[in-house]
Amino acid sequence: MPAVVLGALLSSPVGADTLQQEGWAQKSLEPPPPAPPPPRPAAVPEPLAEVVIQTTEPKFVAPTRRDRIGRIWAPVLIDGKGPFRLVLDTGANRSAITARTAELLGNPPAQDGSTRVTGFTGSAVVPTVHVQTMEVGDLLIGPADLPVLSDVFGGAQGVLGIEGLQGKRIYADFTHDRLEIARSHGERARVDFTTVPLKFVRGLLVANVMVGSVHAKAIIDTGAQGTVGNLMLRNALMRHPPHNPAHEDIIGVTLDVQSGEYLPAPDIDFGHLMVRGVRITFGDMYLFQHWGLTQEPALTLGMDLLGSFDVLVIDYARQELQIRMREAPLPLGDAARF
């Protein structure tokens, strides 16, 4: 199975350290070129014509399809530069940027400070950069010291965490590629939306759900690609675990890798909303231990599920999700009986 990238991010200051990235180069073997002709007077180069590349790829909100997992990107101005494309991550208590983004800002990492970040699969010490402001919509953050991470965001330039989202309303329209981050005015859900109540647990958005016949805590994690369950949920669902389950590697923002069992799951019941055909990667993930969620059934809902809706509203003031389903729900996998 392909690897899944998960982006939960927690951090705390520590001593200095560094991370490295590996790259690759491609070479070709060709016969030796013929001897060059006698030199001629240098010609004045003609100006290059502007090349315009057009694309139909979404700019802000990409839906989950059969061949890809959706994403939510926020166009963020950092110290007045940009906008930079940051993954909106409701599972991260802090924003972060890639090393390349720090270069574009002309802001080298601090030599006298670093921070420990905790991802889904492990923790690591990374450098930080200091910025005065981060701005998108009605959201204004700063000053802040941002962790500098390796590029594991699928081409995005960092992550936008939950700092400053208190009292805000996120509106993500997957059909029309529209993202709004604005102050919540307490708007009730429209008649064509379903409401899911949320609770704040250590800054996380948590919904109480039923997975089949099992009560579970579901963390809303827009920074994660896949849906992941802890071992307590797997054991509660399966009286007889399969002998040869498919395995999937999960890569966190710290580049640590953990493996889990990739299995079809029963329906997930949100109360007034039922989601069918979800597949869950089950494992003893590092972040479940960090959150203290190893003794009760729990799962994180990633963009494989969240990106399958037509519109997703996260209202921090009302503490609820407001969801409009697609006309034809997207099958994300084969339903299972447990």
Side-chain angles (χ1 to χ4, degrees), residues 221-283:
D221 189 357
T222 60
Q225 289 185 6
T227 294
V228 181
N230 67 2
L231 294 182
M232 285 293 291
L233 177 60
R234 186 202 65 176
N235 295 339
L237 289 172
M238 300 181 188
R239 297 179 180 177
H240 305 288
H243 295 291
N244 296 302
H247 282 79
E248 188 166 61
D249 286 335
I250 293 177
I251 306 171
V253 296
T254 61
L255 301 183
D256 295 291
V257 180
Q258 287 188 278
S259 181
E261 298 176 353
Y262 186 64
L263 300 169
D267 299 345
I268 300 179
D269 186 354
F270 290 83
H272 299 286
L273 173 68
M274 185 81 72
V275 178
R276 296 182 170 89
V278 177
R279 299 183 72 90
I280 299 176
T281 301
F282 293 97

Side-chain angles (χ1 to χ4, degrees), residues 120-121 228-229 250 258-260 281-289:
F120 215 96
T121 57
V228 181
I250 293 177
Q258 287 188 278
S259 181
T281 301
F282 293 97
D284 186 20
M285 300 304 163
Y286 183 90
L287 200 58
F288 285 132
Q289 300 174 30

Side-chain angles (χ1 to χ4, degrees), residues 26 32 37 110 134 173 198 205-206 238 246 265 273 304 307 334:
Q26 183 177 3
M134 299 178 66
D173 186 334
L198 300 172
L205 300 172
V206 179
M238 300 181 188
L273 173 68
D304 56 339
D334 298 325

